[in-house]
Amino acid sequence: MERLPKIALPGIIAIIVLIIVLAKSAVNIGSGQAGVLFKTFSDGVVTEEAPMGEGFHIVAPWNKVFIYEVRQQELSEPIRALSSNGLDIKIDTSIWFQPQFENLGKLHQDKGEAYVQRVLIPAIRSASRSVVGRYTPEQLYSSKRDAIQTEIYTETNKLLEGQFIQLNEVLVRDVTLPPTIKEAIERKLSQEQEALEYEFRLQKAEQEAERQRIDAEGKARANQILSASLTDKILQEKGIQATLELAKSPNAKVVVIGSGKDGMPIILGNQ
């Protein structure tokens, strides 16, 4: 019985050590994440193999796993830049990005876990300032926002070549101009809109006048054709037909006395 504590003590110590080793060896990688293995007693960061995927992994306790988010992420970045005429412009951008999965080990080795601050933010700032400097405040505020987005994306993508970062999209959410410049641009746009509206009304008036002229010419031509086709005989026949129709009406009483000009009856009264 006296020997039992002496035997149990090493066993307890062994179990504790085993639990510590298993705790340090077990790595759980969550959904949308990947792991980069660092071998302490070997070549360091593993770059020639694919990163560790989602799920439970066992690694040597002296090695370490760096876990990265590999899903698409969003970065909101306000940027101050100068327009083509030297005015201070502020643009709010959203950047959609993610690390290149197959190059995750190289990203960790070259840029580290702070790759967004070290690489992505400087790239988007540089590209944005370069693009904004090509345009006037009026272009930035009104008609060129889609073009600016495309150019910033293209410029940023060039800067990120070989940086192991995948750029998915760049969105320009807002462009802020100095208040006096903004007011001047809005006044100019309002005046242009009023001028366009006035021009539209003039065009409508001209079109309506042209329509009335064509309509009047058509009626005049029709009257000329009708006058040329109405002979005395046709007029007499039309008058007789009209008289007969009036005579058939149950609500009319017609008295005919003598004859009118060209032999047509004279209608004195009806009710």
Side-chain angles (χ1 to χ4, degrees):
M1 296 294 294
E2 294 178 356
R3 295 179 59 188
L4 183 59
K6 295 181 180 180
I7 296 174
L9 186 59
I12 294 172
I13 293 174
I15 291 173
I16 294 173
V17 171
L18 180 61
I19 292 173
I20 294 173
V21 169
L22 288 175
K24 287 190 170 292
S25 300
V27 176
N28 185 40
I29 299 177
S31 176
Q33 296 178 330
V36 176
L37 180 61
F38 179 84
K39 294 182 177 181
T40 304
F41 300 113
S42 184
D43 298 325
V45 179
V46 176
T47 59
E48 301 303 324
E49 300 177 10
M52 301 168 66
E54 301 172 0
F56 184 78
H57 301 268
I58 296 293
V59 299
W62 52 84
N63 292 336
K64 189 174 181 180
V65 176
F66 296 88
I67 297 177
Y68 281 80
E69 182 83 17
V70 292
R71 288 177 292 199
Q72 177 173 281
Q73 303 165 62
E74 180 184 11
L75 171 67
S76 297
E77 184 68 13
I79 299 169
R80 304 191 76 90
L82 297 179
S83 65
S84 61
N85 54 0
L87 291 175
D88 187 40
I89 308 295
K90 178 185 175 184
I91 61 173
D92 290 328
T93 59
S94 286
I95 302 96
W96 296 349
F97 71 97
Q98 60 196 99
Q100 294 177 358
F101 181 84
E102 66 279 4
N103 292 317
L104 195 57
K106 295 178 181 178
L107 175 66
H108 178 73
Q109 187 178 57
D110 290 356
K111 314 302 175 187
E113 295 175 283
Y115 69 92
V116 172
Q117 291 75 24
R118 293 176 178 173
V119 179
L120 184 59
I121 292 178
I124 193 69
R125 286 177 178 173
S126 175
S128 299
R129 287 166 181 155
S130 175
V131 171
V132 169
R134 302 170 191 165
Y135 294 96
T136 64
E138 184 176 352
Q139 291 172 324
L140 295 169
Y141 186 73
S142 55
S143 61
K144 295 294 184 179
R145 185 168 299 189
D146 290 341
I148 293 165
Q149 285 188 172
T150 302
E151 291 183 28
I152 292 176
Y153 172 82
T154 303
E155 293 283 342
T156 307
N157 230 359
K158 289 180 181 178
L159 295 174
L160 293 178
E161 287 181 2
Q163 303 297 324
F164 317 116
I165 301 172
Q166 176 180 316
L167 182 66
N168 297 333
E169 190 64 79
V170 174
L171 304 175
V172 176
R173 297 179 301 172
D174 189 32
V175 177
T176 305
L177 307 179
T180 54
I181 301 300
K182 180 180 178 181
E183 291 172 3
I185 291 174
E186 288 177 345
R187 284 197 302 271
K188 180 180 178 182
L189 292 175
S190 177
Q191 291 169 357
E192 289 177 351
Q193 186 63 34
E194 291 175 359
L196 289 174
E197 184 179 354
Y198 180 71
E199 184 178 349
F200 175 76
R201 289 201 301 267
L202 286 179
Q203 290 178 351
K204 290 290 291 183
E206 291 174 358
Q207 291 172 356
E208 178 62 18
E210 181 66 13
R211 186 195 65 78
Q212 292 178 359
R213 184 186 65 79
I214 294 173
D215 186 51
E217 289 180 354
K219 288 181 180 179
R221 180 61 179 164
N223 289 335
Q224 290 176 359
I225 295 172
L226 181 62
S227 297
S229 63
L230 290 178
T231 63
D232 293 340
K233 296 293 184 182
I234 291 176
L235 290 173
Q236 289 177 6
E237 182 181 355
K238 295 292 184 182
I240 294 171
Q241 289 176 354
T243 302
L244 291 174
E245 291 297 326
L246 286 172
K248 292 177 183 179
S249 173
N251 297 322
K253 293 180 181 180
V254 180
V255 178
V256 180
I257 301 176
S259 64
K261 184 181 179 181
D262 299 327
M264 295 293 294
I266 299 174
I267 302 172
L268 295 180
N270 59 16
Q271 75 178 55

